[in-house]
Amino acid sequence: MPTRTARTAWDGGIQDGSGEVELSSSGLGTFDMSFPKRSA
């Protein structure tokens, strides 16, 4: 089974913060995240 790796970073509070998700092993890239994006 292949090993998958990812990285997340979050700054601020749950509702007013923002961050990013990096999907390293799949090569899909880095995506910005925020509360509205998470709850959509």
Side-chain angles (χ1 to χ4, degrees):
M1 182 173 278
T3 300
R4 304 283 185 205
T5 57
R7 183 186 68 82
T8 61
W10 190 262
D11 293 317
I14 294 294
Q15 293 184 348
D16 62 349
S18 63
E20 64 181 23
V21 176
E22 178 183 353
L23 305 174
S24 310
S25 58
S26 65
L28 291 175
T30 302
F31 302 93
D32 293 330
M33 295 296 296
S34 66
F35 184 75
K37 289 180 181 179
R38 287 180 34 228
S39 59

